Amino acid sequence: MEGLVSTLLPLIAMIAVFYFLLIRPQQKQQKQVRDMQAGLQKGDKIVTIGGLHGIVDSLDEDKIVIKAGDGSRLTFDRRAVREVVEKA
């Protein structure tokens, strides 16, 4: 019995380390991104995952319309927003 515990203890410790160093921070980052995308408002200056800089012109349930620098309006999924540069 003691041999089994001494064999499993390093494995359990390694799983705990992986959880706290890899899995948990990634889950926190995904939650922050979801909250940011859900909190988008008209007038926010954003950057998409493709590197397009623009201003949110209108919002829908799962789509946004971005006004680019030349005045064109482009439709994207909300998930395509990487970051909000400046809130409205």
Side-chain angles (χ1 to χ4, degrees):
M1 186 70 172
E2 186 176 310
L4 181 65
V5 171
S6 65
T7 305
L8 288 179
L9 192 59
L11 181 63
I12 292 170
M14 192 167 43
I15 290 171
V17 167
F18 276 126
Y19 176 77
F20 284 108
L21 292 180
L22 298 174
I23 297 170
R24 190 164 176 246
Q26 185 179 12
Q27 288 175 341
K28 287 176 76 174
Q29 183 181 16
Q30 287 174 343
K31 185 182 184 307
Q32 288 175 338
V33 169
R34 279 193 311 269
D35 292 344
M36 178 269 304
Q37 290 172 346
L40 289 173
Q41 298 175 359
K42 184 175 179 175
D44 287 350
K45 292 183 180 180
I46 62 164
V47 179
T48 66
I49 56 176
L52 176 78
H53 292 250
I55 299 172
V56 176
D57 190 48
S58 65
L59 297 155
D60 194 347
E61 184 79 20
D62 56 346
K63 293 186 177 161
I64 62 170
V65 176
I66 300 172
K67 186 175 179 183
D70 63 352
S72 61
R73 288 177 170 74
L74 305 164
T75 304
F76 284 88
D77 285 341
R78 274 186 187 249
R79 294 180 309 239
V81 178
R82 182 179 69 203
E83 68 177 304
V84 175
V85 177
E86 184 180 317
K87 292 296 279 180

